[in-house]
Amino acid sequence: MEDFAQLGLIDALALSLAAMTGIVRDMTPDAKAMKKAAGAGYATATDLADWLVRELGLPFREAHTATGRIVAKAEEAGVELAKLPLAAMQAIEPRIGEGVRAVLSVADSVRSRTSQGGTAPANVRRQARRWVARLKREAKT
């Protein structure tokens, strides 16, 4: 019985992979729309909280609270975190300085992810080269 159940899962996985292959092959990415979507929803709030811990030495629970208040302020003003005036942030946490700007953009957030598997462009290029080389080797066999 178990073998038949596993076969059903394998068939479902194969069908899903075939569908995704077709979707990816036929799609045309819209870089401008993707960039806009990446910045929506205060995606860099975690970066802000991490910065408050790292740079100001706040305990994470306090950084989390301050970040939530700053995000609420940005939302109230109708701006993304990177566009919120420094004075508005300092009204919540007075020690925040101009250096916080280095972590508030999506591009900076992506660049900062340098750990194994992270999104830093150097990581992505390295993995892309690795996989292209592997695909070329496999195509020869």
Side-chain angles (χ1 to χ4, degrees), residues 29 33 76 80 83 87 120 140:
E76 180 184 300
E80 53 192 68
K83 302 263 167 96
K140 291 179 184 177

Side-chain angles (χ1 to χ4, degrees), residues 95-117:
R95 295 178 293 159
I96 292 176
E98 196 60 46
V100 74
R101 299 272 180 225
V103 300
L104 294 181
S105 76
V106 172
D108 290 328
S109 178
V110 168
R111 264 193 302 279
S112 75
R113 303 295 191 255
T114 58
S115 63
Q116 179 68 27

Side-chain angles (χ1 to χ4, degrees), residues 44-119:
T44 59
T46 302
D47 298 88
L48 173 58
D50 290 343
W51 185 90
L52 291 169
V53 169
R54 185 179 60 252
E55 299 297 323
L56 302 184
L58 290 180
F60 187 78
R61 68 184 174 281
E62 291 177 26
H64 183 273
T65 299
T67 297
R69 292 179 60 208
I70 291 169
V71 167
K73 182 70 82 173
E75 193 171 35
E76 180 184 300
V79 298
E80 53 192 68
L81 282 176
K83 302 263 167 96
L84 187 66
L86 186 60
M89 290 185 241
Q90 289 172 331
I92 293 162
E93 172 48 65
R95 295 178 293 159
I96 292 176
E98 196 60 46
V100 74
R101 299 272 180 225
V103 300
L104 294 181
S105 76
V106 172
D108 290 328
S109 178
V110 168
R111 264 193 302 279
S112 75
R113 303 295 191 255
T114 58
S115 63
Q116 179 68 27
T119 57

Side-chain angles (χ1 to χ4, degrees), residues 4-20:
F4 289 115
Q6 287 179 349
L7 182 58
L9 291 174
I10 291 170
D11 289 342
L13 178 59
L15 183 59
S16 297
L17 289 172
M20 284 303 299

